[in-house]
Amino acid sequence: MAIRELVYTVTVVTIALGMFLPVLYGSVGIVRELLGSNPLIKSTALVSLSWLVAYVTFKEEDATAS
């Protein structure tokens, strides 16, 4: 697996987890410690940066339209 594909895969997983961080904030203590006082802003920033990295590393040649 090429580095570009690995980075893309990791960022997609990060995006999926980042969208649920505010939900996990109330029940998982380590998430509460990582995000601090305002989880929504930090989660939005994480998802936005991850989407940017995923967009840059996406290869259009591999995508197929149905």
Side-chain angles (χ1 to χ4, degrees):
M1 181 181 283
I3 290 290
R4 187 174 182 168
E5 293 172 358
L6 180 64
V7 169
Y8 179 76
T9 304
V10 168
T11 55
V12 169
V13 170
T14 304
I15 291 166
L17 292 174
M19 291 192 310
F20 291 103
L21 283 178
V23 175
L24 295 174
Y25 183 79
S27 59
V28 181
I30 193 158
V31 174
R32 212 172 304 128
E33 290 178 23
L34 287 173
L35 294 180
S37 62
N38 198 343
L40 185 59
I41 292 174
K42 291 176 183 171
S43 178
T44 304
L46 175 70
V47 170
S48 299
L49 289 174
S50 297
W51 271 115
L52 179 65
V53 172
Y55 178 77
V56 170
T57 59
F58 180 71
K59 290 172 57 176
E60 268 189 59
E61 300 87 39
D62 295 340
T64 58
S66 297

